[in-house]
């Protein structure tokens, strides 16, 4: 497990984007050999997406041979049609996909309005399997340590499924719905902890003081289904990328230890590779 500590949100976002860029380019994707990327939504990854768009527009990175699978989507037409500005489908297209050269057929997002939600979840798992699995799953967490919508108490071997959202999550999401709790979806489709654990590599973005206790639970305490992010202690290739504010609950010696490894971690993103060179 790696813990990469950057000074602020912008630096953490740039480090994560550089890492994704280098992993895609080193993979040398081509027709019939796609790089498969798991992606999150929310505020945390926005800076990372902006940098990836920048690399693409500069000609350094192409998503032509990349397949993506998103972590989750809200459920229910009575709350959120697919084209609603706060649906995760709209989020991904507006903040990322429409700015890059990905084939829309290769961008997979769960359909929260599917007539058979269990069949939708099963089909999503099958698509991941048919794609050869996820090469790199990027995720974010909530203040209660949930990854995707795997709320506290979720099984650490769970698969893609329908999930009822915790009140803390509903309250946190109210800001996207004019603060009106009656407008916030109460259910979602989400990949399971086990689905993400199956990825060959996992990178989790954690920024801000409000995520500090969750990072402490993920790094310094044991695996606990009440803090689902802690499961990734047991993944053979996990990278936590955070800013200084997110480390406020960690022991000083923990922070010092991982900061002492930054010269090693930075070799993963420096130099930044470019497809212009290939």
């Amino acid at each position: 497990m790696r813990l990469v500590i950057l000074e602020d949100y912008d630096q953490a976002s740039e480090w994560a984007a550089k890492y994704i860029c280098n992993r895609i380019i080193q993979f040398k994707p081509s027709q019939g050999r796609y790089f498969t990327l798991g992606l999150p939504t929310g505020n945390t990854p926005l800076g990372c997406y902006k940098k990836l768009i920048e690399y693409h527009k500069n000609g350094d990175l192409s998503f032509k041979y990349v397949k993506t699978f998103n972590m989750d989507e809200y459920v229910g037409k009575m709350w959120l049609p697919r084209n609603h500005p706060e649906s995760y489908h709209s989020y991904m297209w507006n903040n990322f996909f429409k700015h890059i050269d990905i084939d829309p057929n290769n961008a997979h997002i769960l359909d929260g309005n599917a007539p058979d939600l269990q069949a939708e979840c099963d089909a999503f798992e099958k698509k991941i399997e048919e794609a050869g699995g996820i090469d790199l799953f990027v995720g974010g967490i909530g203040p209660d340590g949930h990854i995707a919508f795997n709320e506290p108490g979720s099984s650490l071997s769970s698969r893609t499924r329908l999930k009822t959202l915790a009140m803390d999550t509903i309250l946190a999401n109210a800001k996207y719905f004019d603060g009106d709790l009656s407008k916030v979806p109460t259910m979602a489709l989400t990949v399971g902890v086990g689905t993400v654990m199956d990825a060959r590599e996992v990178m989790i973005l954690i920024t801000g003081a409000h995520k500090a206790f969750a990072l402490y639970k993920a790094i310094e305490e044991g695996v606990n289904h009440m803090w689902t992010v802690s499961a990734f202690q047991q993944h053979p290739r996990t990278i936590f990328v955070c800013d200084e504010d997110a480390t406020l609950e960690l022991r000083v010696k923990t922070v010092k230890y991982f900061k002492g490894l930054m010269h090693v971690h930075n070799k993963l993103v420096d130099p930044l590779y470019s497809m212009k060179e290939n």
Side-chain angles (χ1 to χ4, degrees), residues 6 26 96 105 177 246 260:
L6 286 307
Q26 288 172 317
F96 192 39
N105 294 319
F177 297 88

Side-chain angles (χ1 to χ4, degrees), residues 103-142:
D103 181 340
N105 294 319
N106 291 331
H108 303 285
I109 303 174
L110 285 155
D111 182 1
N113 295 318
D116 186 335
L117 295 176
Q118 186 56 55
E120 174 68 10
C121 293
D122 294 343
F124 199 73
E125 289 276 348
K126 186 171 179 58
K127 287 176 185 176
I128 293 174
E129 182 182 351
E130 290 172 346
I134 305 290
D135 291 303
L136 173 62
F137 220 131
V138 183
I141 65 167

